[in-house]
Amino acid sequence: MRTVALLGAGISGFLGFATIASADESEHGLEAPNYPWPHSGILSSYDHASIRRGHQVYQQVCASCHSMSLISFRDLVGVAYTEEETKTMAAEIEVVDGPNDEGEMFTRPGKLSDRFPQPYANEAAARFANGGAYPPDLSLITKARHNGQNYVFALLTGYHDPPAGVTIREGLHYNPYFPGGAIAMPKMLIDGALEYEDGTPATEAQMGKDVVTFLSWAAEPEMEERKLMGFKWIFLLSLALLQAAYYRRLRWSVLKSRRLVLDVVN
Amino acid sequence: MADEEPVDQKKYLEDGCKPKCVKQLRSYEACVKRIQGDESGHKHCTGQYFDYWSCVDKCVSSFICLEPQFG
């Protein structure tokens, strides 16, 4: 009788948890695989043609929702475009400037010194336009996410149908790499969505690779100089270490080769 | 454009990698069958789904070539 009561209490206690949401593998998202990025090596530079294409992808596909407010047009000069090309590109946008001598704000065409244009005036406007979700600023995104480059590539090219038993509410989309699985952004990289300036076929994987290279550059523009400096200084400091080790042993040899004699006092 | 429609490289590699991950795929399909007709809405196959896609991803990343192609 008592065992039945205990069993009943146990079952009802267990059933009490039936309505609580439980955590599972989707909590952290599917781990992105490690792709062989051409700029990964110890002395490897960025593929600058890829940065140029990636900027095109950003401008045409992503810029309508994602800001990159830490990058200026002048940053592109010598990296992805010539100065004239960048000036022309900047002049296509309208920038609010001022106040002028009459105290009024005015609009003017963009210059090299201007930052990339923002799609929304502020975060609240961005959330309002995207069903409550804020499209994050992409200036540092590959550094701001764990395993950033691989994660962003996997996310952009990894939209699949949800597994059996998983339903995503209206307005969200399933993406296994996104923590929780339900992302507000729909699949944006579609084959042939844009025409590359240099004629490269714009497949989903190509656009994904180019835009991630562009975002990696945006987050770490100093990477090439840093690698050169690092290689140079690690080499020089290794030589200095060998020299220091030799000199230390030379000076200490006097003490290390002395003889101590213990004698009996009569 | 004179060329035929270019095939998405990643999708092509994923299709080629499916035979390598048959074990995980069968495991996922078995799960789908198991939870068919579930009314509570709590049963799902995310685990097996992740195992399958993890296998495919590993295979794809070993073949994918991100180096610039010339010509």
Side-chain angles (χ1 to χ4, degrees), chain A residues 22 27 32 51 64 67 81 115 118 132 147 150 156 190 193 201 209 241 245:
Chain A
S22 53
E27 188 183 344
I51 297 180
S64 50
S67 59
Y81 299 94
R115 296 276 169 98
Q118 309 237 23
N147 198 15
N150 293 316
L156 291 174
I190 321 270
K209 181 244 181 182
L241 178 69

Side-chain angles (χ1 to χ4, degrees), chain A residues 226-242:
Chain A
R226 184 186 77 218
K227 283 184 182 174
L228 286 172
M229 233 195 287
F231 191 81
K232 169 184 169 187
W233 284 104
I234 288 182
F235 171 68
L236 291 177
L237 288 172
S238 312
L239 294 181
L241 178 69
L242 290 172

Side-chain angles (χ1 to χ4, degrees), chain A residues 37-119:
Chain A
W37 296 99
H39 52 262
S40 299
I42 197 167
L43 283 178
S44 301
S45 64
Y46 285 121
D47 175 359
H48 285 257
S50 190
I51 297 180
R52 188 183 170 113
R53 287 193 301 269
H55 173 254
Q56 242 194 299
V57 176
Y58 165 73
Q59 232 182 3
Q60 295 184 32
V61 177
C62 323
S64 50
C65 298
H66 287 280
S67 59
M68 281 187 84
S69 53
L70 299 179
I71 315 293
S72 308
F73 284 100
R74 59 177 171 79
D75 297 327
L76 291 168
V77 176
V79 171
Y81 299 94
T82 63
E83 193 175 327
E84 295 78 47
E85 285 173 330
T86 322
K87 276 195 177 133
T88 321
M89 210 188 314
E92 281 167 18
I93 60 151
E94 289 273 300
V95 171
V96 175
D97 202 354
N100 59 16
D101 295 340
E102 294 166 19
E104 284 169 0
M105 304 299 283
F106 58 93
T107 54
R108 57 159 176 79
K111 295 190 286 205
L112 285 182
S113 55
D114 292 322
R115 296 276 169 98
F116 277 10
Q118 309 237 23

Side-chain angles (χ1 to χ4, degrees), chain A residues 121-162:
Chain A
N122 48 57
E123 188 183 324
R127 284 187 187 276
F128 180 63
N130 290 285
Y134 173 59
D137 185 284
L138 299 179
S139 315
L140 293 166
I141 199 78
T142 55
K143 284 203 287 196
R145 298 287 179 271
H146 170 71
N147 198 15
Q149 294 178 31
N150 293 316
Y151 167 72
V152 175
F153 181 81
L155 186 90
L156 291 174
T157 57
Y159 281 85
H160 306 299
D161 289 330

